[in-house]
């Protein structure tokens, strides 16, 4: 047989796929289902089937390429819908979708990286078998796993962080860390840095829309971090990574890196300078689009996220107070309206209360686990009140973080802001709509801890730069107070907390 005939035979063999692979390729030509979630069972079943099918490496690479592209389209379409439900714990239906997405991403991460091993020592003419593309897709699938888990306040899959670190180590060993696939703009290094910074930002302390906003921000600015040796002196904004450890990066101020283990380090100093400059521009009235920020950055919640990022990426130091383990129960209520009614009329009112177990406490607040009762419209960044033991007062705080591994499990971190709240009505005159009236809470000063009062108001009620405010307080008598805002203390998707003083 001549060389020409032999090449034609090989080409024909690669062109005629195995019947199972042909079935997958035919399915990939079918239009997408009306709802992206309907695609997930078929994608997972075809991924599993592909592992068992015979065929050449080129045929497998072709089918896997199609499945990866279709999966990427489906998951991108699903992310906004996964971020619309702000209530915790996440419902079973939504959690099942997320679990299906994570399983699909895990198969994609494993199988795309397996192409790299299968191609070793072989001459590759098909770009779908390129080592850079295989590692890029594997790393991107793992990073998306971490992002999707964060949307439902769930921890990342066991082993996800370790696989992320080790896949990137493979890319660096092969000098592929700067690889950018055709028609895309992000390199392997950009994807890895985005995932690492997401972990440093403590996504459990953000709502799903805030997590997606952070992901969009990192797509633009993750390249601002600077690599450093992990043995460099501990400083604000420096972190270290242990590739063998199943966890995100650790702040050098919180824990020093072990001297005997080969580690990676980086600094967020330059990124934080950029971040603070962007916050200043937003405060000055610059539209977010003019400084390459997502539109969400122009909202009170977006500005609140940017302020928290500047703090966590620059000064993620040791805890201020030690924790003490506990095992007693407490009642919990959430939301401005619920706390307003409790402060005004007590527990006899129609306020949803739930029972929680305090697992540890510090002078700052509590970590609590849900035991019974309906939690209501609960989300990170909302105000909450707890009452323990025989104490008649409701301590007022904020939900700082939430972890929910399954629909029956929910843990919260509560920061206590005041031992009680004073209910009030905010009168906001308007030329177009007349005077609006809104329920608010006044948190009294705490001697030796906080000198002034705080005002808690629903997010979006006040103008961007509130000045003089009129408060109506009803106690034994009704009286009116005029106050002015001295600074914005906190902004979340649910509430804004302002420092106030007499006008």
């Amino acid at each position: 047989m001549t060389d020409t005939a032999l090449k034609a035979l090989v080409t024909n063999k690669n062109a005629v796929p195995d019947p199972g692979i042909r079935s997958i390729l035919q399915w990939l030509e079918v239009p997408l289902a009306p709802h992206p979630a309907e695609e997930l069972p078929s994608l997972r079943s075809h991924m599993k089937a592909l592992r068992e099918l015979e065929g050449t490496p080129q045929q497998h690479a072709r089918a896997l390429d199609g499945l990866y592209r279709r999966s990427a389209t489906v998951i991108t379409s699903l992310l906004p819908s996964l971020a619309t439900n702000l209530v915790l714990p996440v419902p079973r239906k939504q959690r099942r979708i997320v679990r299906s997405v994570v399983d699909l991403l895990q198969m994609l991460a494993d199988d795309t990286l397996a192409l790299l091993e299968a191609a070793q020592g072989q001459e590759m003419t098909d770009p779908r078998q390129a080592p850079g593309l295989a590692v890029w897709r594997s790393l991107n699938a793992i990073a998306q796993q971490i992002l999707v888990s964060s949307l439902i306040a769930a921890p990342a899959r066991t082993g996800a962080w370790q696989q992320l670190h080790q896949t990137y180590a493979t890319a660096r060993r092969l000098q592929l860390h700067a690889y950018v696939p055709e028609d895309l703009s992000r390199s392997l290094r950009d994807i890895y840095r985005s995932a690492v910074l997401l972990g440093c930002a403590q996504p459990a302390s953000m709502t799903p829309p805030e997590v997606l906003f952070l992901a969009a921000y990192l797509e633009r600015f993750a390249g601002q971090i600077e690599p450093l040796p992990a043995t460099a002196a501990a400083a604000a904004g420096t972190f270290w990574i242990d590739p063998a450890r199943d966890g995100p990066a650790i702040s050098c101020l919180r824990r020093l890196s072990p001297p005997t283990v080969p580690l990676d380090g980086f600094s967020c100093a330059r990124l934080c300078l950029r971040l603070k400059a962007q916050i200043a521009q937003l405060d000055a009235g610059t539209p977010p689009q003019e400084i390459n920020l997502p539109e969400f950055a122009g909202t009170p919640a977006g500005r609140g996220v940017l302020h928290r990022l500047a703090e966590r990426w620059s000064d993620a130091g040791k805890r201020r107070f030690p924790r003490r383990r506990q095992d007693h129960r407490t009642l919990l209520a959430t939301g401005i309206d619920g706390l307003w009614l409790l402060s005004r009329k007590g527990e006899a009112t129609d306020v949803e209360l739930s029972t929680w177990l305090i697992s540890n406490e510090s002078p700052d607040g509590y970590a609590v686990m849900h035991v019974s009762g309906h939690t209501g419209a609960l989300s990170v960044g909302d105000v909450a009140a707890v009452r323990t033991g025989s104490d008649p007062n409701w301590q007022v705080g904020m939900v700082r973080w939430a972890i929910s591994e399954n629909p029956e499990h929910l843990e919260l971190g509560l920061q206590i802001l005041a031992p009680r709240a004073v209910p009030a009505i905010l009168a906001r005159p308007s030329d177009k709509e007349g005077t609006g009236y809104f329920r608010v809470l006044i948190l009294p000063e705490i001697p030796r801890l906080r000198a002034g009062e705080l005002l808690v108001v629903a997010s979006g009620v006040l103008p961007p730069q509130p000045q003089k405010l009129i408060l109506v307080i009803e106690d034994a008598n009704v009286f009116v107070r005029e106050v002015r805002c001295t600074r914005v203390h906190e902004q979340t998707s649910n509430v804004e907390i302002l420092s106030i003083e007499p006008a």
Side-chain angles (χ1 to χ4, degrees):
M1 182 180 294
T2 65
D3 291 343
T4 303
L6 180 60
K7 290 180 181 178
L9 180 61
V10 173
T11 302
N12 185 59
K13 180 183 177 182
N14 292 335
V16 180
D18 173 271
I21 293 180
R22 188 186 306 119
S23 175
I24 294 174
L25 296 176
Q26 290 172 347
W27 177 80
L28 289 170
E29 298 296 326
V30 176
L32 290 169
H35 191 282
E38 297 173 6
E39 288 280 320
L40 295 174
S42 296
L43 283 167
R44 292 174 60 194
S45 64
H46 284 307
M47 285 293 302
K48 292 177 181 177
L50 183 60
R51 294 177 173 180
E52 307 298 328
L53 295 175
E54 297 182 357
T56 67
Q58 291 82 1
Q59 293 168 359
H60 274 265
R62 180 184 175 189
L64 185 57
D65 176 74
L67 290 170
Y68 190 99
R69 291 177 184 274
R70 190 163 180 131
S71 298
T73 301
V74 168
I75 293 170
T76 301
S77 301
L78 271 175
L79 287 182
S81 64
L82 295 177
T84 55
N85 193 330
L86 306 182
V87 179
L88 293 171
V90 174
R92 289 180 180 275
K93 180 179 179 181
Q94 192 170 12
R95 193 176 291 273
R96 280 197 299 269
I97 293 174
V98 169
R99 188 183 304 115
S100 183
V101 170
V102 170
D103 290 345
L104 175 61
L105 287 169
Q106 183 60 45
M107 287 188 283
L108 291 169
D110 293 339
D111 291 8
T112 51
L113 195 60
L115 287 178
L116 180 66
E117 300 175 2
Q120 288 182 355
Q122 297 184 11
E123 181 180 355
M124 291 174 298
T125 58
D126 190 340
R128 290 171 292 207
Q129 294 178 276
L133 183 62
V135 182
W136 190 96
R137 285 179 166 177
S138 180
L139 188 77
N140 186 56
I142 303 166
Q144 281 196 305
Q145 275 191 49
I146 296 171
L147 172 64
V148 170
S149 297
S150 300
L151 292 177
I152 60 167
R157 175 191 60 83
T158 302
W161 281 107
Q162 188 176 32
Q163 188 175 7
L164 181 85
H165 298 320
Q166 294 180 352
T167 303
Y168 185 65
T170 299
R172 289 204 300 182
R173 176 173 54 83
L174 299 174
Q175 298 184 342
L176 295 170
H177 53 283
Y179 175 83
V180 181
E182 187 178 354
D183 300 329
L184 294 174
S185 59
R186 304 182 70 201
S187 68
L188 273 157
R189 179 171 50 220
D190 293 335
I191 292 173
Y192 179 70
R193 287 178 173 180
S194 293
V196 168
L197 286 171
L198 174 66
C200 296
Q202 302 169 22
S205 65
M206 298 181 184
T207 63
E210 291 171 349
V211 172
L212 287 187
F213 164 61
L214 173 57
Y217 182 89
L218 292 174
E219 284 185 9
R220 294 163 168 83
F221 302 107
Q224 294 291 317
I225 66 173
E226 303 167 279
L228 289 175
T231 54
T238 56
F239 296 80
W240 58 271
I241 300 170
D242 182 357
R245 177 179 171 272
D246 187 25
I250 298 174
S251 168
C252 294
L253 295 180
R254 175 162 290 190
R255 188 192 309 168
L256 291 176
S257 59
T260 57
V261 181
L263 306 172
D264 296 321
F266 62 92
S267 169
C268 292
R270 185 171 63 184
L271 175 61
C272 288
L273 287 176
R274 169 70 68 91
L275 184 54
K276 291 173 182 177
Q278 291 166 338
I279 293 172
Q281 289 174 291
L282 290 172
D283 291 342
T286 304
Q289 295 85 350
E290 291 187 11
I291 50 178
N292 193 27
L293 289 177
E295 186 176 350
F296 190 79
T299 65
R303 290 194 295 273
V305 170
L306 294 178
H307 279 285
R308 296 200 298 274
L309 292 178
E311 177 182 342
R312 289 169 187 170
W313 287 339
S314 63
D315 189 25
K318 294 182 178 180
R319 302 184 187 279
R320 292 193 302 164
F321 303 106
R323 297 174 176 180
R324 184 172 57 188
R325 295 189 64 82
Q326 297 289 356
D327 60 356
H328 57 273
R329 299 194 176 195
T330 183
L331 294 176
L332 182 141
T334 61
I336 289 181
D337 286 344
L339 273 58
W340 193 93
L341 291 171
L342 279 178
S343 303
R344 179 83 177 273
K345 301 179 180 179
E347 290 181 36
T349 59
D350 186 19
V351 179
E352 285 186 319
L353 301 178
S354 49
T355 303
W356 298 69
L357 179 69
I358 297 178
S359 55
N360 65 61
E361 67 174 321
S362 74
D364 248 328
Y366 306 98
V368 297
M369 181 182 298
H370 182 239
V371 175
S372 63
H374 191 261
T375 57
L378 176 62
S379 67
V380 172
D382 207 350
V383 288
V386 292
R387 186 175 68 77
T388 58
S390 59
D391 188 349
N393 291 322
W394 287 86
Q395 300 178 71
V396 179
M398 177 173 284
V399 181
R400 288 298 184 188
W401 53 262
I403 297 176
S404 178
E405 295 183 358
N406 56 64
E408 287 75 32
H409 170 260
L410 180 60
E411 293 182 53
L412 304 178
L414 300 177
Q415 180 186 358
I416 299 302
L417 302 175
R420 62 185 181 88
V422 176
I425 297 293
L426 170 68
R428 182 185 169 189
S430 173
D431 295 335
K432 297 181 180 179
E433 303 176 0
T435 301
Y437 298 94
F438 305 92
R439 290 174 174 177
V440 297
L441 301 171
I442 301 173
L443 306 184
E445 64 177 292
I446 303 176
R448 300 182 183 180
L449 291 179
R450 188 179 67 242
E453 294 177 310
L454 298 179
L455 179 69
V456 183
V457 59
S459 182
V461 166
L462 297 176
Q465 295 180 334
Q467 296 180 350
K468 184 179 291 187
L469 305 173
I470 301 174
L471 300 176
V472 181
I473 303 173
E474 181 180 351
D475 197 0
N477 298 304
V478 177
F479 61 97
V480 178
R481 287 183 59 188
E482 287 191 355
V483 299
R484 67 183 184 90
C485 171
T486 58
R487 74 182 182 93
V488 178
H489 188 79
E490 188 92 29
Q491 289 178 309
T492 73
S493 298
N494 298 284
V495 300
E496 295 182 62
I497 302 179
L498 318 172
S499 294
I500 57 173
E501 62 181 21

